[in-house]
Amino acid sequence: MQQSEKIRFVVYTTIFGILWGAAEMLLGTFLHMVQFPFRGALMASIGAIILCLGRTYTPVRGATVCTGIVALALKMISAGGFKMGPAVGIMIETLLAELVLSVFGISRLSFTLACMLCALEGVAHFFITNWLTYGRGIFKAYMQVVTGLQKFFGFPDGFWKEVIAFWVIVHFIFGGAAAWVSIKAAKRLRKL
Amino acid sequence: MSRTLSLRLSLALFLAGLIAGPPPWKFTFGGLALAMIILHDPRSARPPVRFRFWVFPLMFAALAPFFAGDFDWQVLGKDYSSGMFYSGLSFVFHAYVLASITAFAGRNYSLNEIVSFAERRGFKTFGLRIALALSGMKIIRRQTVETFRQYRLTRRNWASVIKDFDLLASATVRNCAATAERIAVLFYIRGVKI
């Protein structure tokens, strides 16, 4: 890589990282304050759009990870202080998007896949952060309580499965919307 | 004991507690991890975590035993599970240990130290990126807010705001790319070596 290309790589990925970090700091903090439902999926979708569109300007392996690291650093030093949830979310999303964009290149398929995986990361994120925060055995305890609550309120036995399915479907919808936006935006920018 | 050794030991003990199943092991490993950081920095044991963070785990520990577990106690005239209660307390304690370790790392390591650590580990441009991120944050933030305001002005309701979101996304990204290009040219002219 020539010196001018190295400079462009560092600057572009950092600027897109700032954009994601700014979105997390401004919109993410606001949504958290107003307790917006599915705010994790919404922020993950916005992050996925930035990662996909940012990659079109620096189509080099590792660019998405560099963007994510800057966003993570900004989130860590933001006014609210270090929060494990968003930090883990940014890290996982970045790695997923990097993997997809490196394997499939810049295409409609890769954008769709990256956005879907990033939005669905919210589902995995719940399990990872809960395991890290509360330790082994938390899910067994959750299941025992959910079963007890189902009996207490007279809900059918598999009711929790329907709740989880709804939760996953909403994440899917967010991912689909993010893919649609990133593909259309990339076309507008003449990058796809 | 040095702060790095304290952090490493507490992390190792925390991981052991993470894998350990029964509450007594969780309390033992968590207690030892906490002791490691308190020995070096006692103020880390008061993590700056909001009260709201503790509401869910404390409610879970107190109320879950009414609904699950082997009911061997009576609380407020209702069946209550002591095993579930201890298990809930171990989850709260585990969360407290994690918050304390995070506070310890935040209190004892500066941004400069983290940057030099990352650069020593091979991420050579980390310092430059952080400096650029901190100085560029204001520009990108102002630019993004301005773009959104302009976009919102021409759309009366939220339905049209959402419908044309790709336009907002492309305008924001294009503006960021333009800023990045200007900075890249400036770096090149000034002979910044990367």
Side-chain angles (χ1 to χ4, degrees):
Chain A
M1 213 188 268
Q2 284 183 343
Q3 186 63 15
S4 59
E5 285 171 342
K6 280 182 189 170
I7 290 175
R8 282 191 92 230
F9 176 79
V10 168
V11 175
Y12 271 73
T13 51
T14 305
I15 292 293
F16 286 119
I18 299 174
L19 180 62
W20 190 11
E24 284 280 347
M25 280 163 80
L26 296 170
L27 189 61
T29 310
F30 170 74
L31 294 176
H32 186 75
M33 262 165 48
V34 298
Q35 293 290 306
F36 188 83
F38 296 105
R39 54 188 176 277
L42 178 60
M43 288 316 298
S45 305
I46 290 173
I49 294 168
I50 294 170
L51 289 177
C52 289
L53 294 178
R55 185 70 175 235
T56 61
Y57 284 90
T58 45
V60 182
R61 206 166 278 184
T64 309
V65 167
C66 291
T67 304
I69 287 172
V70 173
L72 178 66
L74 284 174
K75 185 75 187 169
M76 280 172 77
I77 55 176
S78 70
F82 177 76
K83 288 191 186 81
M84 197 183 68
V88 171
I90 290 173
M91 265 167 20
I92 298 174
E93 258 183 71
T94 300
L95 293 174
L96 286 172
E98 175 67 51
L99 187 73
V100 171
L101 294 169
S102 296
V103 172
F104 297 102
I106 292 163
S107 63
R108 284 180 186 200
L109 172 75
S110 65
F111 277 20
T112 309
L113 209 56
C115 289
M116 284 289 189
L117 283 174
C118 284
L120 282 171
E121 176 274 333
V123 178
H125 181 118
F126 170 82
F127 292 101
I128 293 167
T129 48
N130 266 273
W131 178 68
L132 276 176
T133 311
Y134 303 117
R136 200 176 139 194
I138 187 69
F139 302 115
K140 195 178 160 196
Y142 280 162
M143 276 313 297
Q144 283 178 322
V145 173
V146 165
T147 312
L149 283 171
Q150 272 180 180
K151 270 188 197 157
F152 183 78
F153 288 110
F155 289 130
D157 272 353
F159 183 67
W160 65 273
K161 286 178 190 165
E162 288 170 30
V163 175
I164 296 232
F166 171 74
W167 185 47
V168 174
I169 288 168
V170 172
H171 280 78
F172 247 115
I173 293 168
F174 271 105
W180 182 75
V181 168
S182 55
I183 290 169
K184 275 194 88 176
K187 275 186 180 172
R188 275 186 193 278
L189 294 164
R190 296 179 194 281
K191 296 281 183 185
L192 199 68
Chain B
M1 197 190 302
S2 74
R3 59 186 177 159
T4 307
L5 186 61
S6 291
L7 184 65
R8 280 182 183 166
L9 283 173
S10 63
L11 278 174
L13 288 161
F14 174 78
L15 284 174
L18 193 66
I19 297 160
W25 285 109
K26 268 197 174 140
F27 281 117
T28 310
F29 286 125
L32 287 170
L34 204 57
M36 289 300 139
I37 57 168
I38 288 175
L39 280 174
H40 190 84
D41 179 12
R43 289 186 68 184
S44 301
R46 283 171 59 195
V49 180
R50 284 183 195 156
F51 173 72
R52 212 170 56 187
F53 174 80
W54 299 110
V55 172
F56 171 72
L58 286 170
M59 292 260 287
F60 184 82
L63 300 179
F66 282 115
F67 302 99
D70 299 324
F71 301 111
D72 50 353
W73 279 4
Q74 284 279 313
V75 173
L76 303 169
K78 303 255 182 201
D79 290 336
Y80 201 77
S81 164
S82 63
M84 196 69 192
F85 179 66
Y86 287 131
S87 181
L89 281 185
S90 77
F91 297 140
V92 177
F93 184 65
H94 190 85
Y96 170 68
V97 173
L98 177 64
S100 300
I101 293 173
T102 310
F104 179 83
R107 283 172 51 81
N108 288 280
Y109 292 91
S110 68
L111 184 61
N112 283 343
E113 285 172 301
I114 296 168
V115 167
S116 61
F117 173 79
E119 288 184 342
R120 277 203 309 275
R121 296 282 158 153
F123 194 18
K124 295 238 170 5
T125 55
F126 192 61
L128 177 69
R129 282 175 189 279
I130 294 295
L132 180 60
L134 293 175
S135 56
M137 184 69 184
K138 223 175 174 181
I139 303 168
I140 299 299
R141 205 171 140 164
R142 197 184 55 224
Q143 193 176 277
T144 308
V145 170
E146 213 170 282
T147 310
F148 179 72
R149 277 201 190 130
Q150 199 61 37
Y151 173 77
R152 184 76 180 89
L153 265 178
T154 50
R155 277 154 194 83
R156 288 189 178 178
N157 52 31
W158 280 100
S160 56
V161 169
I162 294 165
K163 195 174 139 261
D164 299 333
F165 196 74
D166 60 301
L167 183 68
L168 176 67
S170 57
T172 308
V173 166
R174 190 203 53 212
N175 289 344
C176 281
T179 306
E181 190 58 40
R182 277 201 303 275
I183 296 171
V185 169
L186 196 68
F187 274 21
Y188 190 71
I189 291 168
R190 292 201 172 176
V192 174
K193 292 272 177 255
I194 290 172

